[in-house]
Amino acid sequence: LESDANLIKIVTIHKSKGLEYPLVFLPFICGFREVGGRDRYYRFHDAEFNLSIDLHKSDDGKASGDKERLQEDLRLLYVAITRARYACWLGVAAVKIGPGKTSHLHKSAIGYALGWEAGMAATELNARLTELKADCPAIDIAEPPAAGPDIYRPAAAEPAMDGARPSAAAPALDTVCYRVLDGEKSSRHPGRGQ
């Protein structure tokens, strides 16, 4: 029998509902998809919880639809950060859209949880995170490591905890490695022209 117990699993937050993982990484937890733009209509519920479809794409419809989007994003944030058994890493930044200089973190669930407001300076983020941490020893705030020219090579495979054997179909560990350059990943195949 083969086991996926020791493999890295990349899953959506939706698919993780009800599951638990030893370690959870949420590098893009500041992301959001604002209502508007390419949407052909705005969808939201009125005060009596009846579904409303705004085909005219009014400002009120957009605001109502985006409020519901944020509510769902907050539910998903809760799901995401409660999946970890031992540790959970969140990539938090004062996100910007396009070439603009203004942070849009207030539109994300984590921004809402931090009390981020439109127009806040990115330098305020560390103060907000420190306030959230307070004196909790389980929370650590750290700068991301600097990018470098190092090449990642996976260590020799360790046997799975349940005694399963590595798959014979798995590629040799030295056939693919990754170079980390300014946050980009590129594959390299030793012996094939690099």
Side-chain angles (χ1 to χ4, degrees):
L1 295 173
E2 294 181 17
S3 171
D4 292 342
N6 288 342
L7 297 179
I8 294 173
K9 295 174 181 74
I10 299 175
V11 298
T12 65
I13 296 171
H14 283 95
K15 290 221 177 207
S16 74
K17 287 181 181 179
L19 301 175
E20 184 179 68
Y21 301 93
L23 304 173
V24 172
F25 295 87
L26 303 167
F28 307 111
I29 200 64
C30 294
F32 62 93
R33 185 181 175 275
E34 189 173 16
V35 170
R38 296 182 183 172
D39 295 326
R40 293 186 299 177
Y41 55 85
Y42 299 149
R43 181 180 188 269
F44 57 93
H45 292 83
D46 64 20
E48 288 80 37
F49 304 104
N50 297 311
L51 178 62
S52 297
I53 306 287
D54 182 355
L55 297 174
H56 300 289
K57 296 176 71 172
S58 68
D59 289 343
D60 288 342
K62 181 178 189 232
S64 296
D66 211 46
K67 180 179 177 185
E68 283 193 20
R69 185 267 317 159
L70 180 59
Q71 291 170 344
E72 177 62 13
D73 287 355
L74 285 164
R75 285 187 284 274
L76 291 173
L77 174 64
Y78 171 80
V79 168
I81 63 176
T82 59
R83 299 305 94 202
R85 184 178 310 142
Y86 302 114
C88 179
W89 285 265
L90 284 75
V92 180
V95 293
K96 298 174 183 168
I97 297 176
K101 297 184 186 285
T102 307
S103 169
H104 290 262
L105 185 60
H106 64 284
K107 297 177 183 178
S108 71
I110 192 75
Y112 182 87
L114 290 171
W116 199 262
E117 297 175 13
M120 290 180 77
T123 55
E124 181 69 21
L125 182 57
N126 197 39
R128 290 293 172 130
L129 292 171
T130 302
E131 182 181 324
L132 173 72
K133 178 187 181 341
D135 60 352
C136 179
I139 298 176
D140 187 27
I141 301 168
E143 292 292 321
D150 299 331
I151 296 175
Y152 172 72
R153 293 187 189 275
E158 296 180 22
M161 289 183 188
D162 62 359
R165 294 171 283 142
S167 170
L173 290 177
D174 64 349
T175 59
V176 178
C177 58
Y178 295 94
R179 179 179 298 274
V180 178
L181 297 170
D182 299 324
E184 293 183 19
K185 179 174 70 172
S186 64
S187 63
R188 192 181 98 182
H189 302 282
R192 294 191 215 161
Q194 306 290 346

